[in-house]
């Protein structure tokens, strides 16, 4: 495995300049053990992400991605893996495309596609609904395996007219959800999960897929930046997935073609830290008997949450920082990790600052393991976002709370209440004077209100203001802006 340093490939310098994420720190994960937990398209996609992001694991990950691609039939992803390795390490033997395999696989894919489409055509001619449904199912799975996700989704959608039992409908929506996740079509994921949940009452084994639905919805919310909603979905996940056998393809409770129980613990824990109060973290996360099964798989996440609840913010942030490289190499977390970590640190700083009227920047930097320049930038960003009600005194290097003068606040509220009371009394007296003067205009029966008759509230049929005379002169006793005695 090639290590980073002075020999870092030019590829990663270009990636940084283009704004892409590059992880220069060594992760804690063991690549072989990590990737063994997954199967299907997500396994290859995760290897490609690590290969294009990590300066430490790029060679190992890209070689594994090429080997994984050659086990399947997705020629497009194989080309991506080989071309990336060519750019990073042009002298590597695996960087030479296996044109023989590409040609052979392309022919096999075309032959298989033609065969499945011909079979489906025959089923349609025979008008056997179950055969047509299975034909579309086989075609959808074939397109999914070769990476044509749009065609796969289209084939699965056409199954709906030929589903005859609730189980058929559930299978169809599960397939559509899986394809939509791989395609990063998160609106379709949410739509399919909602439709699946509407079918749960009719499905006999609904408990087996409950965790899958919660996980899929959690991923959709996470991808949309809705961390509070993502937390709710992940902590609701049925704990039965924890005991699923990841290496058994027949285990229906396993969902490692998309996500593992460890991922649910990490995603749910980080989103909870970013979006929940300390009281909610204790009651909804740590004391949650179902989610506790997931947290036991990732004890460092449980410790981080416990430290945050106990106001040990430095220890919490230290744990998260030590796993930052791993999380930046996660296919679902990479784009959101900077914002998640910012929100977690912001909450920690807010909670730390509550008992004080002012704190020196040096004390804050010491408490949160940062230098004064970085902590000043963080505080500035928090104040601009409205996350911290304070101001920074750059002369004395102090963070000062914006205190509220409670006495002045009570006086202002009392004056506002008095003014509102005076206005209400004035309007009531004005109404009484209008009635006494006989100026109220009532709508004839069968017609609309005064607004509908004249198009302007408070005007007579002749379009004249009831407060004014026939020539626009004020009526006696109704002085504009005056008080009534």
């Amino acid at each position: 495995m090639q290590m980073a340093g002075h020999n870092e490939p030019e590829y990663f310098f270009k990636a940084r300049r283009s704004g892409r994420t590059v992880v220069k720190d060594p992760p804690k994960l063991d690549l072989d053990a990590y990737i063994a937990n997954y199967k299907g398209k997500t396994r290859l996609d995760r290897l490609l992400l690590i290969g294009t992001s990590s300066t430490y694991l790029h060679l190992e990950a890209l070689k594994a991605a090429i080997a994984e691609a050659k086990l399947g039939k997705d020629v497009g992803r194989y080309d991506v893996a080989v071309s990336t390795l060519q750019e990073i390490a042009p002298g590597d033997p695996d960087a030479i495309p296996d044109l023989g395999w590409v040609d052979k696989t392309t022919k096999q894919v075309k032959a298989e596609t033609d065969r499945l489409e011909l079979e489906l055509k025959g089923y349609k001619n025979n008008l056997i609904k179950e055969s047509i449904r299975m034909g579309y199912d086989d075609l959808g799975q074939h397109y999914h395996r070769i990476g044509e996700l749009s065609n796969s989704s289209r084939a699965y959608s056409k199954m709906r007219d030929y589903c005859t039992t609730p189980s058929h409908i559930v299978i169809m929506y599960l397939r559509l959800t899986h394809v939509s996740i791989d395609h990063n079509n998160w609106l379709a994921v949410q739509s399919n999960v909602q439709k699946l949940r509407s079918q749960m009452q009719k499905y006999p084994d609904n408990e087996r897929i409950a965790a899958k639905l919660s996980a899929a919805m959690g991923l959709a919310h996470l991808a949309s930046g809705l961390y509070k909603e993502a937390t709710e979905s992940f902590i609701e996940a049925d704990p039965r997935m924890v005991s699923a056998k990841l290496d058994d393809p027949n285990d229906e409770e396993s969902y490692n073609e998309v996500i593992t129980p460890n991922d649910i613990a990490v995603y749910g824990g980080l989103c909870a830290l970013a979006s929940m109060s300390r009281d909610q973290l204790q009651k909804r996360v740590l004391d949650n008997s179902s989610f506790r099964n997931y947290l036991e798989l990732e004890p460092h996440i449980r410790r981080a949450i416990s430290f945050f609840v106990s106001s040990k913010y430095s220890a919490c942030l230290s744990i998260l920082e030590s796993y930052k490289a791993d999380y930046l190499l996660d296919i679902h977390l990479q784009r959101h990790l900077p914002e998640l970590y910012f929100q977690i640190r912001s909450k920690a700083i807010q909670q730390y600052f509550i008992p004080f009227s002012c704190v020196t920047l040096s004390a804050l930097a010491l408490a949160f393991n940062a230098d004064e320049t970085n902590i000043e930038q963080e505080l500035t960003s928090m104040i601009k976002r409205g996350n911290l009600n304070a101001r920074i005194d750059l002369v004395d290097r102090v963070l000062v709370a914006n205190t509220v003068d409670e006495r002045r606040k009570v006086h202002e509220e009392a004056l506002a209440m008095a003014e509102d009371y005076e206005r209400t009394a004035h309007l009531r007296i004005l109404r009484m004077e209008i009635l006494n003067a006989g100026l109220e205009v009532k709508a004839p029966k069968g017609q609309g209100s005064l607004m509908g008759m004249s198009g302007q509230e408070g005007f007579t049929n002749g379009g004249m203001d009831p407060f004014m005379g026939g020539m626009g002169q004020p009526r006696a006793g109704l002085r504009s802006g005056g008080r009534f005695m």
Side-chain angles (χ1 to χ4, degrees):
M1 181 173 64
Q2 180 175 325
M3 292 305 211
H6 296 296
N7 297 324
E8 181 178 302
E10 180 67 22
Y11 174 88
F12 293 107
F13 289 104
K14 294 179 180 178
R16 285 193 186 94
R17 285 196 295 268
S18 64
R20 286 166 43 205
T21 300
V22 175
V23 183
K24 63 180 181 179
D25 297 322
K28 293 179 179 291
L29 61 85
D30 177 85
L31 185 62
D32 292 334
Y34 167 76
I35 210 64
N37 293 323
Y38 301 94
K39 66 180 181 181
K41 188 174 181 298
T42 190
R43 181 184 175 102
L44 179 55
D45 289 345
R46 287 172 184 269
L47 285 170
L48 284 174
L49 180 76
I50 295 172
T52 56
S53 302
S54 175
T55 60
Y56 276 80
L57 296 177
H58 60 277
L59 281 180
E60 186 180 350
L62 287 173
K63 285 174 175 287
I66 292 172
E68 180 69 23
K70 293 182 75 172
L71 294 175
K73 296 181 178 180
D74 192 343
V75 177
R77 301 302 279 173
Y78 171 79
D79 289 339
V80 171
V82 171
S83 62
T84 305
L85 185 58
Q86 279 181 338
E87 191 173 355
I88 294 177
D92 194 282
D94 288 334
I96 302 173
D98 187 346
L99 299 180
W101 177 86
V102 171
D103 184 60
K104 176 185 174 183
T105 305
T106 302
K107 290 179 179 178
Q108 288 179 347
V109 166
K110 186 178 184 308
E112 181 72 5
T113 303
D114 292 341
R115 182 185 68 81
L116 290 172
E117 289 180 347
L118 186 62
E119 286 183 357
L120 179 60
K121 187 176 180 180
Y123 296 149
K124 288 182 177 179
N125 290 334
N126 295 331
L127 299 177
I128 303 174
K129 294 186 72 173
E130 177 61 14
S131 298
I132 296 172
R133 184 191 70 82
M134 293 181 65
Y136 275 123
D137 191 21
D138 292 341
L139 192 61
Q141 291 187 61
H142 169 70
Y143 280 133
H144 197 172
R145 284 192 295 268
I146 65 176
E148 296 186 16
L149 301 181
S150 297
N151 287 333
S152 177
S153 180
R154 197 175 298 115
Y156 287 140
S157 298
K158 291 180 179 178
M159 289 171 59
R160 182 65 182 89
D161 294 336
Y162 305 98
C163 293
T164 55
T165 67
S167 297
H168 293 165
I169 296 173
V170 167
I171 291 171
M172 179 199 70
Y173 282 128
L174 280 174
R175 302 253 201 261
L176 280 170
T177 302
H178 183 192
V179 173
S180 299
I181 291 173
D182 285 345
H183 206 192
N184 294 326
N185 187 351
W186 301 111
L187 288 177
V189 171
Q190 295 184 50
S191 174
N192 290 321
V193 169
Q194 294 293 350
K195 292 174 182 176
L196 260 171
R197 284 176 171 166
S198 68
Q199 297 288 330
M200 292 283 282
Q201 304 266 338
K202 307 173 187 176
Y203 186 59
D205 296 328
N206 53 22
E207 292 182 357
R208 291 187 177 183
I209 65 171
K212 295 182 180 182
L213 301 188
S214 297
M217 187 62 85
L219 287 177
H221 288 316
L222 174 60
S224 303
L226 304 173
Y227 304 131
K228 179 72 172 179
E229 290 79 359
T231 302
E232 298 291 343
S233 295
F234 286 128
I235 65 177
E236 288 174 0
D238 193 290
R240 294 176 61 160
M241 187 187 289
V242 176
S243 59
K245 298 177 181 179
L246 300 180
D247 56 348
D248 184 0
N250 297 319
D251 192 337
E252 295 183 8
E253 293 176 1
S254 172
Y255 204 32
N256 61 335
E257 64 271 22
V258 173
I259 195 173
T260 65
N262 298 67
D263 293 332
I264 291 178
V266 172
Y267 300 166
L270 291 179
C271 289
L273 280 169
S275 61
M276 286 186 166
S277 65
R278 288 192 302 158
D279 185 56
Q280 289 175 322
L281 285 171
Q282 181 65 52
K283 294 180 179 178
R284 304 285 310 283
V285 180
L286 294 179
D287 294 342
N288 186 327
S289 58
S290 297
F291 193 64
R292 190 183 301 127
N293 293 277
Y294 291 98
L295 287 177
E296 287 174 357
L297 301 175
E298 297 288 338
H300 65 279
I301 290 289
R302 188 184 70 246
R303 288 200 308 274
I305 297 174
S306 298
F307 283 141
F308 194 96
V309 170
S310 304
S311 301
K312 299 176 181 178
Y313 305 116
S314 180
C316 169
L317 297 175
S318 177
I319 290 174
L320 297 182
E321 194 64 28
S322 67
Y323 282 87
K324 187 175 182 178
D326 293 57
Y327 298 154
L328 283 172
L329 297 176
D330 184 276
I331 195 169
H332 296 294
L333 277 180
Q334 186 183 86
R335 186 165 62 91
H336 299 277
L337 197 69
E339 179 63 21
L340 284 169
Y341 271 38
F342 176 81
Q343 292 195 19
I344 294 170
R345 285 183 65 86
S346 296
K347 283 178 56 185
I349 292 173
Q350 288 172 11
Q351 295 293 322
Y352 178 87
F353 186 56
I354 285 175
F356 305 103
S357 59
C358 63
V359 178
T360 62
L361 297 187
S362 58
L364 276 170
L366 181 64
F368 290 95
N369 295 324
D371 56 55
E372 286 194 35
T373 303
N374 289 337
I375 204 72
E376 181 185 329
Q377 292 174 352
E378 279 191 76
L379 294 172
T380 302
S381 180
M382 289 174 61
I383 292 170
K384 286 181 177 179
R385 288 190 181 198
N387 294 341
L388 186 64
N389 186 22
R391 66 185 186 274
I392 302 175
D393 184 344
L394 293 177
V395 176
D396 296 328
R397 310 291 293 170
V398 172
L399 179 68
V400 183
N402 291 332
T403 57
V404 178
D405 188 341
E406 296 294 339
R407 183 184 183 90
R408 180 176 179 179
K409 184 179 177 182
V410 170
H411 285 174
E412 289 176 349
E413 290 176 354
L415 287 172
M417 188 182 300
E419 289 174 0
D420 185 62
Y421 178 80
E422 182 181 10
R423 179 176 176 277
T424 302
H426 174 69
L427 291 175
R428 287 180 177 176
I429 295 171
L430 178 62
R431 172 67 175 165
M432 291 170 55
E433 289 289 340
I434 290 173
L435 293 175
N436 291 337
L439 297 177
E440 183 183 23
V441 179
K442 295 182 179 180
K445 291 183 180 180
Q447 295 188 22
S449 64
L450 185 60
M451 176 72 80
M453 291 171 58
S454 63
Q456 194 170 1
E457 187 175 8
F459 277 58
T460 61
N461 290 338
M464 294 182 293
D465 191 336
F467 294 97
M468 307 296 290
M471 299 302 293
Q473 300 297 322
R475 293 183 184 272
L478 292 175
R479 301 185 304 276
S480 178
R483 296 180 180 274
F484 294 94
M485 303 303 293

